[in-house]
Amino acid sequence: MKVVKFGGSSVASATQYKKVASILAADPERKAVIVSTPGKRHEGDTKTTDLLIRLAESVGERDFDESAFQAVLKRYQDIIDELELDSSLMTEVEGHLHEVISMYRHSKDRLLDGLKASGEDLNAKVMAAYLTSLGRKATYISPKRAGMIVTDEPGNAQILPESYPEIAKLRDIEGVLVIPGFFGYSYEGNIVTFPRGGSDITGSIIAAGLDVTEYENFTDVDSIYCVSPKMVDQPRELKELTYREMRELAYSGFSVFHDEALQPVVHKKIPVCVKNTNRPEAKGTRIVASRELDGHPVIGIASDEGFCSINMTKYLMNRELGFGRRLLEILEDEGVSYEHTPSGIDNMSVILRSHQLYNGQEARVLNRIREELQVEELYVERDLAMIMVVGEGMNQTIGIASKATQALAQAGANIKMINQGSSEVSMMFGVNVADVEKAVRSLYHIYFPAEVGQKA
C-alpha cells in the first residue's frame, strides 16, 4: 500500500487531473491520495492559495471583495467544466466558501486558516468526483473523518499522537481515498493549518498512520538536485539520500520537500520517493533511512535568505553561569525562535529569521538583553544568508571544510559564521545575501568538478 501526494502544479488544471488519474491507475498499490490546492497553470498565473488569501484579507463585518470571491470560484469552475463533471459541484464549492467566511469572519487568524484549507478541501472533493466519473471507486475523506486531531494554533498545527490509531482505520475502506492536505481539526472543532509545506506533512502523517510501504510525493521536477537549478545549469540529480540529509537540505532552502514533513515517516522508516507528475516514468529521488555512499562525501548544497544576527560581547562571558539560559529566556518571553548560537569566550551571536523582529519586537529584545545581561557591545547584523553543505560521507573525509573555505574565498564571499553539528552531516556558513549565488556556484564547482555542465 502506498500514499501518493500531488502538489499544486500537479492539480492546477483539468489536464493535470487527467495525468493524476493515469498515475493512480498505473499502480493499484496507490491507496490514499493527498491533494494540494490548484497551483499555477503557467508562468504569470496566480496560485489558488494566493487568491484565497486575498479573499480572506477582504472580509469585513458584513461583506467581502466579490471579485476575489469570483476569482476563486473560476479556478474550480474551469476544472469542473473541462472534466465535464456534475455542475452541482460548483454549488458545493460556493456554499463551502460562504460557510467558512460566516463561521470565522470575526477572527482573522481563523478565517485565514479556514479559507486556505478550503483550497485543498474543495480540490479533494473535485478529485474524488472525477475519479468516480472514470469508474474508479473513490471516496473523499475529510481530515475530521480521518481522525487528524491537531493542536489549536492557527497556521502552526501539530498532529497529536492519538490521531494515528484513527488514521489506521482508513485501511478498511475500499477503493481510493482522496484526502485534502494542509490541515486538521482541533479538539475545539476549529480548522487549523500546518506550517509551510502542509500538504507534504499531511501525506507523511497519513503514510505513517496507514504504515504504508512507500510515500510518493509528486511534483513538477524529475528528481531532487544536489543544488538549485536556478543557480547552476544541469546540476547532478540525486538518486537517493537519507532522512537526515533531506532534513538539512530542506531546512536550508530546498523547496521540493519540506523539512517538517519527514518527521512522521522517520520513526517507521517509510521510504519517500519524489517524482514528476509530468514524467512519471522518471525514477525520481528516494529518501531513506540509510544509503550506500557513492563516493561523493557531499551530496547537496542549499541556501536560504532572510536571516539576521544579534551579536553581543561581554568580558568573561564564559565564566558567567546562566548567561546563555537567560539570553534564550528573553527570546522565549518575546516569542522569538532562534536558529543557531555560535559563540566565543567573550561573545555570542544568535541567528534568527528576520521576519520575527517586527512591530517593535527588535527594540524590546535588544533593550532586555542590554539591561538584563549587561552586555558591553550589542548590535544586529542584517541581510544574511545561510549556506548548508550536506552529506553523510563528510565525517569520513578529510579536507571537506578546507574545500568549502577555499571555494568561498574564490567567490569573494566573506564568511560571517561557521557552524557544524556534532553529527557532521552538515556544515553551515553565513554570508551576505549579495554573495550567496556566486558562493553556491563556487561550492558546487569544487565538490562536483567532473559534473559541472553535465547531468548525472
Side-chain angles (χ1 to χ4, degrees):
M1 182 186 294
K2 297 178 181 178
V3 164
V4 193
K5 178 259 177 179
F6 291 95
S9 62
S10 300
V11 289
S13 66
T15 300
Q16 294 301 98
Y17 261 63
K18 294 172 183 177
K19 293 177 184 177
V20 168
S22 296
I23 289 168
L24 295 177
D27 187 348
E29 289 294 301
R30 290 167 174 150
K31 168 76 173 177
V33 183
I34 315 301
V35 296
S36 297
T37 305
K40 290 185 178 183
R41 295 160 292 189
H42 50 76
E43 191 67 32
D45 196 15
T46 303
K47 294 179 181 179
T48 308
T49 298
D50 292 335
L51 297 176
L52 288 162
I53 291 171
R54 177 183 153 202
L55 174 60
E57 290 173 343
S58 77
V59 173
E61 286 294 320
R62 294 182 176 81
D63 57 8
F64 50 79
D65 183 343
E66 184 63 29
S67 65
F69 189 83
Q70 292 300 322
V72 174
L73 292 184
K74 189 172 188 316
R75 287 304 303 270
Y76 294 99
Q77 185 77 66
D78 289 347
I79 293 171
I80 289 168
D81 287 350
E82 192 171 337
L83 294 176
E84 299 180 345
L85 299 177
D86 194 312
S87 60
S88 65
L89 272 172
M90 278 309 299
T91 303
E92 186 172 355
V93 168
E94 187 168 356
H96 177 95
L97 293 174
H98 278 299
E99 182 182 352
V100 171
I101 290 171
S102 176
M103 184 185 305
Y104 292 124
R105 75 184 318 143
H106 298 297
S107 171
K108 285 296 184 183
D109 288 344
R110 298 290 185 195
L111 178 64
L112 185 60
D113 260 20
L115 283 176
K116 286 196 298 184
S118 296
E120 273 82 0
D121 201 35
L122 295 170
N123 222 24
K125 291 175 181 177
V126 176
M127 179 63 73
Y130 174 56
L131 295 175
T132 300
S133 75
L134 297 177
R136 297 290 302 275
K137 186 169 183 57
T139 306
Y140 159 76
I141 305 290
S142 75
K144 182 175 286 187
R145 180 180 176 186
M148 292 188 62
I149 309 162
V150 299
T151 55
D152 199 33
E153 308 167 74
N156 192 38
Q158 305 294 316
I159 195 73
L160 295 176
E162 53 266 38
S163 299
Y164 290 103
E166 295 301 312
I167 293 168
K169 296 175 184 177
L170 297 177
R171 297 179 70 97
D172 299 329
I173 301 174
E174 290 185 19
V176 176
L177 312 179
V178 186
I179 306 170
F182 193 39
F183 73 101
Y185 283 84
S186 68
Y187 275 119
E188 291 79 5
N190 291 313
I191 297 169
V192 196
T193 63
F194 293 114
R196 63 177 190 152
S199 293
D200 289 343
I201 295 172
T202 297
S204 191
I205 290 167
I206 297 296
L210 294 178
D211 199 13
V212 298
T213 55
E214 186 172 65
Y215 169 27
E216 293 181 315
N217 192 291
F218 279 84
T219 179
D220 55 5
V221 294
D222 281 354
S223 64
I224 297 172
Y225 298 95
C226 67
V227 68
S228 171
K230 294 178 181 178
M231 294 187 180
V232 174
D233 291 334
Q234 295 185 311
R236 181 174 183 258
E237 292 181 6
L238 300 178
K239 296 179 176 65
E240 196 172 65
L241 68 163
T242 67
Y243 297 134
R244 291 200 303 178
E245 289 169 333
M246 187 69 249
R247 168 86 166 89
E248 298 280 2
L249 291 169
Y251 161 78
S252 306
F254 270 35
S255 59
V256 174
F257 196 82
H258 291 284
D259 53 327
E260 291 188 37
L262 282 174
Q263 193 277 328
V265 297
V266 168
H267 177 66
K268 293 195 173 182
K269 297 185 178 179
I270 296 170
V272 178
C273 189
V274 176
K275 293 176 70 68
N276 190 348
T277 305
N278 303 312
R279 278 184 14 100
E281 69 278 7
K283 290 186 177 180
T285 301
R286 284 173 60 80
I287 307 169
V288 293
S290 61
R291 65 178 179 88
E292 292 291 327
L293 301 182
D294 61 358
H296 288 278
V298 171
I299 197 170
I301 305 158
S303 63
D304 199 9
E305 301 178 9
F307 293 91
C308 66
S309 175
I310 300 177
N311 304 319
M312 63 211 77
T313 301
K314 186 176 185 180
Y315 185 59
L316 295 180
M317 181 190 294
N318 65 315
R319 301 285 299 275
E320 186 173 328
L321 292 176
F323 184 92
R325 173 183 55 77
R326 297 200 309 276
L327 171 61
L328 298 182
E329 280 181 350
I330 291 172
L331 297 180
E332 181 182 6
D333 289 347
E334 297 297 332
V336 175
S337 62
Y338 71 96
E339 307 291 325
H340 311 280
T341 56
S343 64
I345 58 173
D346 293 329
N347 53 70
M348 178 178 285
S349 297
V350 179
I351 312 293
L352 48 86
R353 302 272 179 179
S354 302
H355 67 79
Q356 297 184 93
L357 301 181
Y358 65 98
N359 288 344
Q361 192 81 311
E362 178 178 330
R364 289 195 299 274
V365 168
L366 294 183
N367 286 338
R368 287 194 60 183
I369 292 173
R370 193 176 289 110
E371 294 170 8
E372 296 176 29
L373 301 181
Q374 297 293 302
V375 296
E376 294 155 11
E377 187 177 2
L378 178 66
Y379 65 97
V380 177
E381 190 167 8
R382 308 178 195 283
D383 296 324
L384 294 180
M386 296 295 143
I387 300 174
M388 189 85 84
V389 176
V390 177
E392 294 277 4
M394 286 169 45
N395 63 349
Q396 303 171 21
T397 308
I398 296 172
I400 295 295
S402 173
K403 281 188 175 182
T405 55
Q406 178 187 341
L408 294 173
Q410 289 173 353
N414 186 27
I415 300 174
K416 300 289 186 176
M417 183 271 288
I418 300 177
N419 195 17
Q420 182 171 27
S422 58
S423 67
E424 296 186 52
V425 174
S426 66
M427 292 184 299
M428 178 167 280
F429 300 89
V431 301
N432 290 322
V433 167
D435 296 331
V436 68
E437 287 200 22
K438 60 184 179 181
V440 168
R441 284 194 291 269
S442 186
L443 286 164
Y444 178 76
H445 292 165
I446 206 163
Y447 286 125
F448 302 97
E451 299 177 52
V452 172
Q454 302 178 24
K455 192 169 251 189

